[in-house]
Amino acid sequence: MTTAEAAQPEKPTKPGIREVLRALKNRKSAFMALFGFTSGLPFALFLGTLYAWLSEAEVDLETMGVFSLIGLAYAFQFIWSPLVDKVDIPGLRKLGKRKQWIAPMQLTLGIILVTLSLLEPKTQLGWFSLLAGIGALASATQDIAINAWRIDVADEEATLDMLSTIYQMGFRLASLFGGALGLIIAARIGWPETYMIFGASVLAVGIAGLFAPDNDRDRATPITSEAEIEELYAVGEVRPEVRRHYLWVVVGLWVWALTILGIFMVRALGGYVPMMGVLDLGTFALDPNWLLGMFPLNESGRPDPTEFTAKMGPLIIAATIVIPASIAGVLHRRKANGDDVITANDSTVRASSAVDHLYRALLAPLVEFVGRIGWPLILILALVLTYRICDAIWGTFAYPFYLGELGYTNDEVAFASKFFGIGAIIAGLALGGYMLTVLGRMLTLTLGALLAALTNLLYADMAVGGANMQAASDMIGFTWLISTFAPFGSDALPRLTFTIMFENLAIGIAGAAYIAWLSSIVSKKYAAVQYALLSSLTLLVGTLGRGALGEMIENQGYFDVFVLTTLIGLVAVVLCLAEWYRQSVMGTDDVGPEPKVEAAQ
């Protein structure tokens, strides 16, 4: 047996409920649920519930629109993921490679939420905006570290598939608590008290997270050790001067992207955040619009977050992902072909230590990923871009469809989509986790894609009256159930709830499989950067596609849109089958390439 074969994890001999129960008893699973909850709660509080508080405080819509820019922290989190992956926080490394970032971010979030509860939104809007922006940044940063922690600590008992499922369940529960239940609590005790409770909850989890397990053997060892730097100068590696030239191109592109985002935030928040107006680049001779490629401004003269993401987003993706990935491919090819590589007789002059560390942070994760995957990386990127595109785009138009097109009331939509819908997603995640243990990762991924695609046809039926959904709901007794136990609602409520239930069950199954698959294809060595890059593409593609989909709704109606999203979903099914075939050929089906790669090193 080879070393690589010995390192290959054994597949469960008793798949099914026993494996699920065994994983749930592992303490890593408990902390994964807590981390998933603290990952989802700030997302719900900063990008959803906060708008309800601002509306009650009579903050105008234009000002509330400015708050939507904090969502960019989640969409572009990959830009600072190398920092999380390769930088130690002074004095906190002993907590663990990932926990040194998770714990302080959670404590920061708890403090910010508690502080927000002490402010009055309308009269102290500047500080409110600043704290919300910092909170979103801390939330996105903890997400980077939590996703990497999940990949790092997975083992044969607390498997990657189960940890990914538990993470999603914690995230969705947090959405329910921070969303629907947050509104209910606030209606009874007030918004400041509600945010005080949520802040205290995050602080409690942050303290508990200090005791989470970690896979670091020597926590005093820096993240990037001297041994890892020495690898860059082994025989057969690309010469340092060649690496350096490509590195500076990548550094320039990432600096440009950070500058664009920084200018955008200053321009957008300049009139709201204390002292931010002093930094407004409009006071300088250099016109910031030139730097931003003339991104569009709204009626008040401020940059529009949605338009910025739609127009500048592709350029930022190209600068931070596409071009650097192409450069990584060039470096890998040069190494494979023996072009400009270090030889045994070579007396190569070393690059500076800072340059080596920068290379390890920015380019090495991409070189490893491109080198390990090869040309099938195109397949993987295509699957990432299409697998969750329907959900990512559709979310923006859900309420206009329910309330405007179908004519449901706010209470009916809240009942169907929040309470019943979140429960259905959690049930779908549980079912997806079970399917992962019984059917395997790739079969579950493919079935999830198929189910998610076909549920768009349920909404297509709703768009033309919902006769089929009503008949199906009547046939299985679901109409009687909702009509009997729902405290309100029209005769049409059961078919809406029925439709949302099946869609969310499919979303849960697909979500569990997708996160597990995404986690399996990244390297543990560069988990933070590689996972952040791939997951950010999922977020960005939804934003970039909403404009076109909104125009299609205006011109052709919802029915045609749901047919189109079904077809896109079926493309994802085909790509899943191709990825399944690739993994079976490579001998990595349901296990992932990582153990073989690490064993070979």
Side-chain angles (χ1 to χ4, degrees):
M1 181 180 293
T2 66
T3 304
E5 290 171 342
Q8 185 75 28
E10 294 181 3
K11 291 187 179 182
T13 56
K14 297 180 180 179
I17 193 64
R18 293 182 182 179
E19 289 299 316
V20 175
L21 293 176
R22 187 162 68 107
L24 292 177
K25 292 178 181 178
N26 191 295
R27 64 191 295 256
K28 294 177 182 178
S29 299
F31 281 104
M32 187 74 268
L34 288 177
F35 287 164
F37 186 84
T38 55
S39 180
L41 187 59
F43 189 86
L45 293 178
F46 289 132
L47 295 181
T49 312
L50 187 64
Y51 293 98
W53 187 0
L54 295 175
S55 297
E56 190 173 299
E58 298 181 348
V59 175
D60 61 87
L61 291 175
E62 179 183 336
T63 302
M64 283 194 286
V66 174
F67 275 81
S68 65
L69 74 87
I70 66 178
L72 293 177
Y74 297 94
F76 294 105
Q77 60 182 263
F78 62 89
I79 292 180
W80 64 90
S81 60
L83 180 72
V84 179
D85 202 33
K86 291 299 179 185
V87 173
D88 284 330
I89 300 178
L92 296 183
R93 179 65 177 93
K94 59 184 179 180
L95 293 177
K97 180 179 180 180
R98 308 304 181 188
K99 285 165 55 182
Q100 68 170 327
W101 284 95
I102 295 174
M105 291 304 106
Q106 289 178 340
L107 294 175
T108 300
L109 282 166
I111 293 171
I112 286 176
L113 290 173
V114 170
T115 305
L116 285 177
S117 72
L118 303 176
L119 299 178
E120 207 290 313
K122 192 167 186 178
T123 60
Q124 297 174 295
L125 185 61
W127 291 110
F128 209 83
S129 303
L130 179 61
L131 287 174
I134 296 174
L137 184 64
S139 176
T141 303
Q142 77 149 356
D143 289 353
I144 296 170
I146 286 174
N147 286 320
W149 179 87
R150 181 182 72 247
I151 296 167
D152 285 350
V153 303
D155 54 30
E156 293 182 11
E157 185 172 301
T159 64
L160 184 59
D161 293 344
M162 286 306 304
L163 290 179
S164 300
T165 301
I166 292 168
Y167 169 79
Q168 281 282 294
M169 293 179 73
F171 190 97
R172 295 294 182 176
L173 277 173
S175 299
L176 177 62
F177 274 83
L181 289 181
L183 294 172
I184 293 174
I185 295 172
R188 285 155 176 79
I189 65 174
W191 283 110
E193 292 79 5
T194 300
Y195 269 68
M196 178 73 76
I197 291 173
F198 286 139
S201 301
V202 175
L203 281 173
V205 174
I207 294 172
L210 295 174
F211 302 96
D214 199 286
N215 70 340
D216 287 351
R217 294 183 178 179
D218 183 2
R219 297 185 179 184
T221 302
I223 290 180
T224 303
S225 65
E226 289 302 319
E228 290 178 315
I229 297 298
E230 287 295 330
E231 291 177 4
L232 297 177
Y233 295 94
V235 173
E237 292 292 333
V238 177
R239 294 172 63 88
E241 61 268 24
V242 177
R243 292 198 309 262
R244 185 169 58 246
H245 293 155
Y246 286 111
L247 173 64
W248 292 130
V249 174
V250 174
V251 168
L253 291 170
W254 282 59
V255 168
W256 174 84
L258 284 171
T259 302
I260 293 297
L261 288 172
I263 294 174
F264 172 77
M265 293 180 68
V266 169
R267 290 293 298 266
L269 286 176
Y272 296 97
V273 175
M275 298 175 294
M276 190 70 86
V278 178
L279 301 176
D280 192 340
L281 294 184
T283 61
F284 295 94
L286 181 61
D287 182 5
N289 284 333
W290 176 78
L291 286 173
L292 292 171
M294 297 302 293
F295 68 91
L297 305 177
N298 59 25
E299 294 179 356
S300 64
R302 297 185 179 277
D304 182 86
T306 302
E307 288 297 318
F308 171 79
T309 306
K311 296 195 174 182
M312 297 303 298
L315 296 179
I316 293 176
I317 291 175
T320 55
I321 299 179
V322 178
I323 298 177
S326 301
I327 289 175
V330 171
L331 286 171
H332 176 72
R333 187 174 67 250
R334 294 178 79 92
K335 177 181 175 181
N337 295 338
D339 299 331
D340 291 321
V341 298
I342 300 172
T343 64
N345 300 322
D346 202 351
S347 56
T348 305
V349 178
R350 283 176 172 262
S352 69
S353 177
V355 172
D356 286 335
H357 283 283
L358 195 58
Y359 178 84
R360 293 281 302 175
L362 289 182
L363 261 178
L366 292 174
V367 173
E368 189 280 336
F369 196 50
V370 172
R372 174 163 51 87
I373 302 297
W375 283 108
L377 181 59
I378 297 175
L379 168 63
I380 288 175
L381 292 178
L383 183 52
V384 167
L385 291 172
T386 57
Y387 193 85
R388 300 302 300 273
I389 188 173
C390 299
D391 304 333
I393 295 178
W394 161 239
T396 302
F397 304 101
Y399 286 117
F401 178 64
Y402 299 146
L403 299 172
E405 183 75 9
L406 301 183
Y408 287 96
T409 66
N410 288 339
D411 288 343
E412 289 175 325
V413 173
F415 171 79
S417 65
K418 293 298 182 182
F419 288 103
F420 209 93
I422 294 294
I425 286 182
I426 293 173
L429 287 167
L431 180 58
Y434 179 76
M435 291 170 64
L436 284 167
T437 64
V438 176
L439 303 178
R441 186 181 302 138
M442 291 311 301
L443 178 54
T444 305
L445 185 74
T446 306
L447 290 175
L450 180 61
L451 291 172
L454 294 179
T455 54
N456 285 278
L457 296 179
L458 306 184
Y459 282 99
D461 180 71
M462 289 290 290
V464 293
N468 293 320
M469 291 298 95
Q470 186 66 52
S473 178
D474 293 342
M475 184 176 62
I476 67 171
F478 190 82
T479 300
W480 173 85
L481 179 68
I482 298 299
S483 300
T484 303
F485 294 100
F488 51 79
S490 64
D491 294 338
L493 177 59
R495 65 171 175 259
L496 175 66
T497 311
F498 182 79
T499 303
I500 291 177
M501 177 186 70
F502 275 100
E503 184 211 20
N504 286 5
L505 278 171
I507 288 176
I509 295 171
Y514 180 69
I515 297 299
W517 169 73
L518 209 61
S519 302
S520 73
I521 62 175
V522 303
S523 166
K524 283 189 175 183
K525 199 171 186 179
Y526 305 106
V529 178
Q530 292 179 357
Y531 189 91
L533 284 169
L534 293 175
S535 61
S536 293
L537 285 177
T538 305
L539 291 172
L540 285 169
V541 71
T543 304
L544 300 177
R546 286 170 196 158
L549 195 69
E551 185 177 350
M552 183 177 178
I553 291 173
E554 289 288 336
N555 296 333
Q556 298 178 243
Y558 282 96
F559 179 84
D560 288 346
V561 167
F562 288 125
V563 172
L564 174 63
T565 53
T566 300
L567 295 175
I568 295 174
L570 293 178
V571 171
V573 174
V574 175
L575 294 173
C576 283
L577 293 172
E579 168 65 3
W580 192 356
Y581 175 76
R582 181 192 73 84
Q583 291 200 14
S584 64
V585 170
M586 298 297 295
T588 59
D589 181 25
D590 282 353
V591 176
E594 181 62 29
K596 294 184 178 181
V597 173
E598 287 191 339
Q601 290 176 346

